[in-house]
Amino acid sequence: MRFGLGPLTIESIAGKQHVDTYEEALEQAEIAERWGFDSVWVDERNFTPGAFNSSASVVGAAVAQRTTYVRVGLMPLAGLVNAIYVAEEVACIDNISNGRVIVACGEPGERVAAGWGGDASVDRIRDDLAVMRKAWGPNPFNHHSPYHTIPAEMAVHTVAAGLHSISVQPKPAQLAVPLWMAGTSIAAEVAAAEALPFFGPAHLSLEELRPLYSRREPGPGEIVPLAREVFIARTGEEAHESARPALERLYARLGEPADAGSGSFVDLARDRFVIGDPEQCIEQLYRYQHELGVNYVVARLAYHEMHAGETARAIQLFGQAVVPEFRMFGLPDEIRRLA
Amino acid sequence: MGKVDVGVGIWSLQSTKTGPRHFSYLYQELIEDAQYVDELRTISTIWQTEHHFWYDGYCPSLLTVAGGIAAATKHIRIGQAALLFSQHEALRVAHQAAVLDQLSAGRLDLGLALGYRDNEFDGFNIDRRVRRQRFEEGVEVLRRAWADGPVNFEGAQFSVPDVAVTPKPYQVDVPIWVAAVGPKPVERAARMGASIILSDALTLDQVRSHIALYRECAEAAGTTGSGAKMGVLRRGWVAETNEEAFSEALPSLRFLLREQLGGWRYLVDEHGEPVGFDRPSELDAAAAKLVAVHERTIGRPERVVRGIREIASAGADHIIFGTRFDSLPRAKYLRSLELLATEVIPHV
């Protein structure tokens, strides 16, 4: 199993300057790299009262600069704008990071899509993916669909006349940028249709995830990723004490799942959040591995509600006490107990 | 002559025919250059430039790449000279600029231009003829996006409903700079109270008259109190002696003007018609004229100080010192930046 940190939320927190939250997020990325994580993830949320980070590209480039080895997980929303913009930005970050980008395209949701005059449909998202793949490929291309006309070949553009194609530049450093689909039912449908890894979100419970992950059988060696809210401390009590207020406030701001505010925290956390001491975290993560076939967990761990030192300790502890259990096949019990 | 700030530019991240490089090398080099310039402290801004679908990989995503610069630096302001605003979605620019401004703790100088290459508009399926309208509506989208409350904008080019853009920028007023070759963008900038970046294709006399035009239009529009900066892009190079500077920089400058500007159809003749490769003798003449313009900021420190003062006396208060020439040895290029920071700027 592999592990990532994130997606970093970078929202506005009472009592903290927003600008400091951005710096805190970059520090969390560096800490994850230091403690052996495989990747750091950045998503984007638009029009949120909590002022969550709204550009995966801008922060992704910053994470790429601050790190050397971890992959940079980018979660741009599809369906909002001409996909060439996203393709160009990803290619730039892939070069800043010397080929460390993974892209998990997000479904925007109807409300966000409407704000952009975009489209959250399966067809539109698949069309965006097609444009991005062509843009990253080595050949000049054209693309004519209900959503994209590339190039337009307008008579008024005389200098471009007769070319019939464009070449998006620069090319990514990687031969093929790893592509996943992030979101819920629309993302799962796109992932199934395009044979891409489906990346389930942190806010869905195990039961809700089951039908989404069963849509398609992953191929041999294929990545099966999942995002989870994770918080870890030396004792289960300590972990819950820290995680509860941070997660309660985060989910109230996110407004998801829709019933987040109505039930108790225990109900919200059940089969959804991974909170505890190392043993408890390991046990809970095994369930996702066994029941969904997950082999790549992106653990949030970094909550801006907490003191930065507290999240730093959690990232370190997760790296030392949980990651080895899943990564080090055949780890002798004598060494496991040494923590 | 008031205070003059000096910035450096303009990073384009091209892997050219004569100087092919892996793109990762170029992007890494930009980050290292930014850190180097940041530590020199006297250089106030760093500027990047944008094109799309150009054969040598010319950087298309300035605000994204600026995220990398912001993470690598602490002091220097980060500008675009310029983001081709009419080719973008204004709402996307509003989001990315706000995030970049937060990420950099308020170091964004947002430089915008119309864009002019047919191929770029055609690739994005945008009619070149609406570029001015797109620009002006786009600026209004930015303003509303960064103000409190919902955007609610209904235009011919952009339509943004009842949504509030978050987060807001760190700066209360993100400075907007408008790049200009001809008089029209100067007038537009003056009406907006925006700063200007005058093109490297302009002579000193043209710079003077453009700045006078700006002042006149700002007076008429009632925007004189906006604190707008009068920026000028000048190619430049500093070495220990004039001879060294000329021999290092002039061949590259000639190449840049002749080949690159020719390919972009960026230079215009006295009738405002583009001078491209289809008009080689005019292109040569235009390039030669510009070499004479930029020679004045190429040389030993004392000469460059004089060259910068000359531009400042034409009314400029921000010089973008364009030291990014293709195929120059990196050590010499870093030395030129160091001399600029230590021997030129303190004496301007």
Side-chain angles (χ1 to χ4, degrees):
Chain A
M1 180 126 59
R2 286 182 182 263
F3 290 92
L5 177 77
L8 303 172
T9 52
I10 331 183
E11 72 274 34
S12 172
I13 298 283
K16 265 185 195 176
Q17 281 224 58
H18 206 171
V19 64
D20 296 331
T21 314
Y22 273 86
E23 184 55 35
E24 202 173 274
L26 297 185
E27 284 166 11
Q28 288 160 348
E30 293 174 80
I31 293 164
E33 173 158 277
R34 193 171 313 140
W35 293 106
F37 283 65
D38 294 292
S39 54
V40 175
W41 290 78
V42 191
D43 63 1
E44 60 188 25
R45 289 167 194 272
N46 297 155
F47 320 131
T48 55
F52 287 82
N53 173 45
S54 64
S55 175
S57 293
V58 173
V59 179
V63 169
Q65 191 280 323
R66 285 288 178 89
T67 58
T68 312
Y69 309 107
V70 289
R71 283 192 175 261
V72 181
L74 299 174
M75 302 173 73
L77 295 173
L80 303 183
V81 293
N82 190 323
I84 292 174
Y85 299 117
V86 181
E88 289 177 332
E89 290 159 16
V90 166
C92 288
I93 300 167
D94 203 45
N95 282 298
I96 291 175
S97 66
N98 203 3
R100 291 186 281 129
V101 164
I102 303 172
V103 173
C105 254
E107 56 180 49
E110 297 293 341
R111 196 183 66 83
V112 169
W116 289 84
D119 184 339
S121 69
V122 169
D123 284 352
R124 167 67 201 257
I125 293 171
R126 291 188 69 185
D127 199 54
D128 279 20
L129 295 180
V131 169
M132 284 190 265
R133 285 166 148 168
K134 286 181 179 181
W136 296 330
N139 301 329
F141 73 97
N142 53 57
H143 188 93
H144 298 278
S145 71
Y147 310 103
H148 292 92
T149 305
I150 306 170
E153 305 202 60
M154 292 183 198
V156 63
H157 301 146
T158 52
V159 180
L163 292 177
H164 313 306
S165 297
I166 63 164
S167 172
V168 170
Q169 297 282 345
K171 294 301 171 193
Q174 299 179 82
L175 196 53
V177 177
L179 196 55
W180 306 352
M181 269 312 300
T184 56
S185 56
I186 289 179
E189 197 176 333
V190 173
E194 299 281 339
L196 296 174
F198 168 69
F199 184 20
H203 71 266
L204 295 189
S205 69
L206 182 57
E207 279 317 306
E208 292 165 316
L209 290 167
R210 229 185 281 279
L212 301 175
Y213 277 81
S214 65
R215 288 191 70 112
R216 103 169 231 277
E217 189 67 27
E222 195 178 300
I223 297 297
V224 183
L226 172 67
R228 285 293 88 179
E229 304 296 350
V230 177
F231 199 74
I232 185 169
R234 284 281 166 203
T235 68
E237 294 74 42
E238 214 185 305
H240 275 93
E241 207 173 291
S242 297
R244 183 175 175 152
L247 278 163
E248 272 177 340
R249 279 183 220 136
L250 176 65
Y251 273 66
R253 276 195 297 269
L254 286 172
E256 60 189 12
D259 59 352
S262 56
S264 70
F265 181 75
V266 177
D267 291 340
L268 180 65
R270 185 177 303 120
D271 293 337
R272 187 179 273 128
F273 300 162
V274 177
I275 302 170
D277 64 20
E279 285 308 313
Q280 291 164 330
C281 287
I282 287 167
E283 190 188 325
Q284 293 171 66
L285 288 171
Y286 267 129
R287 287 188 67 202
Y288 295 100
Q289 187 184 44
H290 293 147
E291 301 196 25
L292 303 178
V294 167
N295 58 22
Y296 201 130
V297 170
V298 176
R300 186 103 69 188
L301 284 160
Y303 299 100
H304 297 293
E305 285 280 355
M306 296 180 188
H307 188 277
E310 205 173 352
T311 56
R313 273 198 303 279
I315 295 168
Q316 175 182 351
L317 184 56
F318 192 83
Q320 288 180 311
V322 176
V323 173
E325 176 69 24
F326 292 93
R327 188 185 279 163
M328 300 178 181
F329 180 73
L331 176 71
D333 273 346
E334 293 79 358
I335 294 174
R336 182 182 284 118
R337 282 196 297 269
L338 284 179
Chain B
M1 195 181 89
K3 183 177 176 294
V4 186
D5 289 323
V6 179
V8 289
I10 44 176
W11 276 260
S12 53
L13 306 168
Q14 295 161 273
S15 175
T16 61
K17 185 170 171 297
T18 47
R21 296 278 187 279
H22 194 289
F23 285 117
S24 290
Y25 172 89
L26 293 169
Y27 281 75
Q28 193 55 49
E29 187 185 48
L30 163 65
I31 301 282
E32 284 171 16
D33 288 351
Q35 282 171 324
Y36 183 75
V37 168
D38 193 47
E39 282 159 18
L40 290 171
R41 296 303 290 274
T42 53
I43 296 171
S44 61
T45 48
I46 183 165
W47 300 82
Q48 296 169 264
T49 165
E50 162 178 320
H51 277 293
H52 300 265
F53 324 134
W54 188 243
Y55 61 86
D56 60 14
Y58 209 110
C59 184
S61 309
L62 300 192
L63 298 178
T64 294
V65 176
I69 297 177
T73 56
K74 288 190 170 65
H75 313 288
I76 199 158
R77 294 187 63 82
I78 302 164
Q80 296 75 39
L83 186 149
L84 304 176
F85 192 44
S86 306
Q87 296 169 3
H88 286 264
E89 290 294 329
L91 191 59
R92 189 168 184 82
V93 173
H95 278 92
Q96 295 190 335
V99 168
L100 177 61
D101 201 47
Q102 288 286 350
L103 188 70
S104 65
R107 290 187 281 133
L108 171 61
D109 276 312
L110 184 63
L112 306 176
L114 283 179
Y116 50 90
R117 287 186 64 232
D118 280 2
N119 308 59
E120 294 171 359
F121 287 101
D122 210 59
F124 285 117
N125 193 13
I126 296 165
D127 188 327
R128 185 184 198 272
R129 291 169 299 185
V130 302
R131 60 188 188 139
R132 288 185 184 81
Q133 192 177 23
R134 248 181 113 81
F135 188 97
E136 285 172 8
E137 286 188 15
V139 168
E140 184 56 27
V141 170
L142 295 183
R143 287 193 199 286
R144 293 184 187 208
W146 296 338
D148 289 335
V151 179
N152 275 337
F153 179 80
E154 191 63 51
Q157 297 304 317
F158 296 113
S159 171
V160 184
D162 187 19
V163 287
V165 168
T166 55
K168 303 297 178 193
Y170 178 84
Q171 298 176 92
V172 177
D173 283 309
V174 174
I176 293 182
W177 300 63
V178 176
V181 188
K184 288 237 164 54
V186 174
E187 293 167 10
R188 189 178 300 121
R191 284 197 300 275
M192 292 162 53
S195 297
I196 51 173
I197 304 165
L198 295 175
S199 155
D200 56 349
L202 298 173
T203 64
L204 195 61
D205 284 339
Q206 288 171 313
V207 165
R208 193 176 289 116
S209 69
H210 275 25
I211 291 175
L213 174 67
Y214 184 100
R215 305 259 186 243
E216 199 179 300
C217 295
E219 191 81 42
T223 59
T224 48
S226 71
K229 301 272 177 57
M230 301 294 107
V232 175
L233 171 60
R234 265 293 182 279
R235 304 287 169 174
W237 189 263
V238 201
E240 315 290 347
T241 67
N242 288 337
E243 292 67 31
E244 251 179 276
F246 291 154
S247 69
E248 283 165 13
L250 284 182
S252 286
L253 178 63
R254 275 193 203 101
F255 178 87
L256 179 84
L257 294 168
R258 173 71 175 72
E259 303 292 332
Q260 305 253 22
L261 299 187
W264 298 332
R265 299 168 64 82
Y266 177 66
L267 300 181
V268 290
D269 64 15
E270 63 273 23
H271 308 296
E273 293 299 319
V275 179
F277 290 133
D278 50 335
R279 299 166 66 188
S281 57
E282 282 103 322
L283 184 59
D284 280 342
K289 191 169 104 180
L290 284 179
V291 168
V293 168
H294 296 288
E295 252 179 4
R296 304 182 75 79
T297 38
I298 292 172
R300 65 194 183 102
E302 293 80 354
R303 177 181 166 91
V304 177
V305 168
R306 278 200 304 278
I308 289 178
R309 283 183 180 166
E310 198 173 68
I311 304 165
S313 69
D317 53 16
H318 198 111
I319 314 294
I320 301 174
F321 197 76
T323 59
R324 284 297 301 179
F325 299 140
D326 188 37
S327 310
L328 284 173
R330 185 160 166 77
K332 295 197 165 167
Y333 155 70
L334 293 177
R335 177 70 180 144
S336 170
L337 283 175
E338 186 188 1
L339 286 171
L340 175 72
T342 58
E343 302 293 327
V344 174
I345 294 175
H347 304 289
V348 167

